[in-house]
Amino acid sequence: MTRRSCAIYAVGIICASLLFVGIGLVVSQVFRTLMHNRLKKEIVLVEGSRVFESWKTPPPPVYMEYFFFTVTNVDAFLEGAKPEVKQVGPYTYREYRYKDNVSMVDSKRMVSAYNIKSFVFLREKSVGDPAVDKITTVNIPVWAVMNKVTGSFWKSSMASMMMTSTKSGFFTTRTVDELLWGYEDPLLARIATSSPEVEKVFGLMYKKNGTNNGEFIYHTGVQNYMDYGRVETWQGQSQLTFWASNQSNSINGSDGSAFHPLLNKNERIYIFTPDLCRSIHMEFEKDVEVKGIPAYRFTPPRSVFASKEENPANEGFCVTPKECLGTGLLKVSPCRNGAPVVASFPHFYLGDAKYVAAIKGMSPQRQHHQTFLDLNPTTGVIVRANKRAQINILLSRIPGFPKTRTLNETIFPVMFLNESVVIDDASAARVHKLLLIVTVVSNFPLIIVGLGAILLAVLIFLLVRARKQKTSTEEDTSYSPVSDKEKEDPQNGTYIGLTRKDDP
């Protein structure tokens, strides 16, 4: 056996081995499984893990934008006309958030923490000065007091007299700062003299700057990666008590800051939101890309805030059978001390058309009013998000208060917020690096198959070349006559003279 033949045999054996092993690994997905198992062990809320520090102190900047609706026809509305509002904003704040008093629970199966948020105003990203700009809007303390005392003639009469003496009307004009961070309301101050438990100061974000909303206990994901970041209890409770059914009172999913790795397009993402006093779900909408990172976009469907007729599962969110609102609204008065507060998406996006038509100035648009989460499916990392919600007040006729007789029941918009985040460049670089490692390791069998294919091409080339050389050798060793005529030998007769073709 020649050296060339040995080389061909060796290439053939190596080629066959690589193809056999590579295809076997591709079919069995061994490397992919190993990489996924590694991710499940790395992405856990345990000290020293890859994600623990970024979970405690998220690096990407978070911005909170506030948009207010100022009423332009108060007097006409009080006389029965359709209300008209004008959107003013944004007033933008940089939101700093971190988790405080973090401690492991139950042998690292769970971790407890307090979510601290603080806000710093950003003039360059805002339309004006919140300390100067004034908004005419619903006088929420007045409507809260009226709803609180309804049903009691004596309390209603006392409240009505206090409203008159303090000159508290159904609407008020305040600065953005006062509406957000608090002001001493004259009606509440008057009530507080006889009821010390009543808070004199009112603000939509009062006591929410530099504070927390209670202790959370999260699953670390050590036992099951699907539980990563899932809320086990909030304020010591595993079930809420605000609503009328166990399903409505369930605490499901994460708090919106962490999601398990290896996401699937077909699964529902659950988020527990203390501001809404409930859990909501989100579903896959489309594939997107943020700073070169592939992501799945999840959004809350219409069914989240659908009426009980459209989605019977939402019947538990009715405060009473008579207070069951239509699609697109959620009355959160049970967790707002009885105040007639109604939550929705901005401009009643995904809500019944009648709520949009009832207020002049409403214009729901998906691009500006949709809530969404863009999550990298491999790591579960949030690469972009916009959380949008609107605060409304239910205005209606209230027994004991004659001035409300001219009012039609109206869901009146006060303000909506947009909490947004986009992954920063440093975090994006780390995600890119991790995804590259995952891709290379997961596709290592394909690399082996590729090498086998290359060697197969080399083998074919060597075989073709060897065949050509063999054919050429056979042609070189053939013989031909010296001349076209046969030569005659006088002694031995006729003979044929042979010579090599290359003999001159």
Side-chain angles (χ1 to χ4, degrees):
M1 184 180 291
T2 65
R3 185 178 299 176
R4 181 179 295 115
S5 299
C6 291
I8 292 175
Y9 278 115
V11 170
I13 293 172
I14 296 173
C15 170
S17 301
L18 287 175
L19 289 174
F20 178 78
V21 173
I23 293 173
L25 290 174
V26 169
V27 173
S28 62
Q29 294 189 335
V30 173
F31 280 81
R32 181 183 178 87
T33 302
L34 288 173
M35 196 66 245
H36 285 184
N37 288 338
R38 184 66 179 174
L39 281 174
K40 294 173 186 178
K41 292 181 179 179
E42 284 285 336
I43 302 180
V44 290
L45 299 179
V46 177
E47 191 76 47
S49 72
R50 186 182 292 272
V51 297
F52 192 67
E53 289 303 319
S54 61
W55 174 76
K56 288 188 354 182
T57 309
V62 180
Y63 298 99
M64 182 70 87
E65 297 176 315
Y66 296 101
F67 298 82
F68 288 87
F69 297 103
T70 188
V71 190
T72 59
N73 66 336
V74 172
D75 294 334
F77 170 69
L78 293 176
E79 293 175 2
K82 183 178 180 178
E84 298 179 9
V85 298
K86 178 183 178 183
Q87 179 178 302
V88 180
Y91 295 91
T92 307
Y93 294 76
R94 170 73 187 272
E95 180 181 322
Y96 294 89
R97 50 168 65 187
Y98 65 94
K99 289 180 169 60
D100 192 26
N101 197 21
V102 178
S103 58
M104 304 309 299
V105 180
D106 194 11
S107 301
K108 296 185 179 182
R109 286 182 57 249
M110 299 183 193
V111 57
S112 68
Y114 291 83
N115 296 323
I116 309 294
K117 293 182 180 181
S118 58
F119 303 88
V120 176
F121 179 66
L122 300 177
R123 181 64 183 86
E124 67 277 9
K125 291 181 175 288
S126 305
V127 297
D129 187 346
V132 176
D133 297 354
K134 292 189 175 183
I135 304 294
T136 299
T137 187
V138 178
N139 194 339
I140 298 177
V142 166
W143 287 94
V145 169
M146 290 193 298
N147 277 269
K148 192 75 172 178
V149 301
T150 185
S152 172
F153 175 77
W154 183 81
K155 290 182 178 179
S156 297
S157 300
M158 289 293 296
S160 183
M161 288 188 292
M162 289 181 183
M163 287 169 57
T164 302
S165 64
T166 57
K167 298 180 180 180
S168 298
F170 295 153
F171 288 83
T172 185
T173 300
R174 298 282 178 178
T175 65
V176 171
D177 261 347
E178 288 176 321
L179 290 174
L180 282 177
W181 311 112
Y183 61 93
E184 185 173 307
D185 182 77
L187 178 60
L188 296 179
R190 181 70 178 272
I191 296 173
T193 57
S194 57
S195 303
E197 71 278 4
V198 174
E199 180 65 65
K200 294 187 292 184
V201 177
F202 169 79
L204 296 168
M205 295 292 291
Y206 179 55
K207 291 185 176 180
K208 292 185 178 181
N209 195 352
T211 61
N212 66 80
N213 52 12
E215 181 190 34
F216 282 84
I217 293 183
Y218 307 90
H219 286 264
T220 61
V222 169
Q223 281 196 319
N224 185 349
Y225 80 99
M226 293 289 288
D227 286 336
Y228 170 75
R230 182 168 67 85
V231 177
E232 174 66 15
T233 64
W234 174 58
Q235 294 184 345
Q237 296 180 319
S238 57
Q239 283 274 108
L240 303 175
T241 57
F242 305 124
W243 311 110
S245 69
N246 289 333
Q247 181 178 353
S248 301
N249 281 318
S250 296
I251 297 177
N252 297 322
S254 73
D255 65 350
S257 64
F259 297 91
H260 69 79
L262 308 178
L263 288 164
N264 191 297
K265 290 182 179 180
N266 298 321
E267 68 178 291
R268 279 184 169 181
I269 299 296
Y270 285 89
I271 300 173
F272 171 64
T273 308
D275 293 334
L276 294 177
C277 313
R278 61 164 290 187
S279 300
I280 66 171
H281 67 268
M282 307 177 82
E283 296 176 350
F284 174 80
E285 182 186 69
K286 62 181 179 179
D287 290 285
V288 296
E289 187 176 285
V290 181
K291 295 187 177 181
I293 301 173
Y296 293 165
R297 173 162 292 183
F298 287 88
T299 64
R302 178 182 168 94
S303 60
V304 169
F305 286 156
S307 65
K308 66 176 182 179
E309 290 77 20
E310 192 174 326
N311 182 9
N314 285 344
E315 185 173 0
F317 294 111
C318 298
V319 179
T320 66
K322 294 182 179 180
E323 294 182 274
C324 219
L325 303 177
T327 294
L329 304 177
L330 173 69
K331 190 173 183 181
V332 293
S333 56
C335 61
R336 292 293 181 269
N337 296 319
V341 180
V342 177
S344 71
F345 292 119
H347 287 250
F348 304 113
Y349 172 70
L350 295 182
D352 285 341
K354 64 180 180 180
Y355 301 119
V356 178
I359 309 289
K360 186 175 181 180
M362 294 289 98
S363 179
Q365 299 176 37
R366 177 179 178 181
Q367 178 183 357
H368 300 296
H369 305 138
Q370 181 189 51
T371 290
F372 66 84
L373 275 172
D374 293 342
L375 305 174
N376 175 250
T378 303
T379 62
V381 169
I382 301 172
V383 293
R384 179 172 54 198
N386 280 85
K387 173 188 172 184
R388 294 164 171 145
Q390 182 168 295
I391 297 173
N392 313 277
I393 299 297
L394 175 60
L395 306 186
S396 61
R397 299 169 186 172
I398 301 177
F401 297 92
K403 291 182 180 180
T404 65
R405 291 176 183 173
T406 60
L407 300 180
N408 297 318
E409 183 172 290
T410 307
I411 307 297
F412 212 100
V414 175
M415 174 198 80
F416 80 83
L417 57 86
N418 176 28
E419 189 176 27
S420 63
V421 63
V422 177
I423 191 169
D424 62 289
D425 293 339
S427 299
R430 287 193 293 269
V431 173
H432 273 296
K433 183 178 179 180
L434 179 59
L435 292 178
L436 178 61
I437 295 172
V438 172
T439 301
V440 171
V441 174
S442 298
N443 294 324
F444 187 70
L446 293 178
I447 297 174
I448 296 176
V449 173
L451 290 174
I454 293 172
L455 287 179
L456 179 62
V458 172
L459 177 63
I460 294 173
F461 172 77
L462 292 175
L463 289 173
V464 170
R465 185 178 178 184
R467 181 59 180 265
K468 287 182 177 180
Q469 290 179 345
K470 181 179 180 182
T471 303
S472 175
T473 302
E474 290 176 351
E475 290 177 353
D476 289 346
T477 56
S478 63
Y479 294 88
S480 61
V482 171
S483 65
D484 292 337
K485 285 186 175 183
E486 293 181 344
K487 294 183 179 181
E488 293 183 3
D489 187 330
Q491 295 180 351
N492 299 319
T494 302
Y495 71 95
I496 299 175
L498 299 180
T499 180
R500 291 180 62 89
K501 278 185 177 182
D502 54 357
D503 190 13

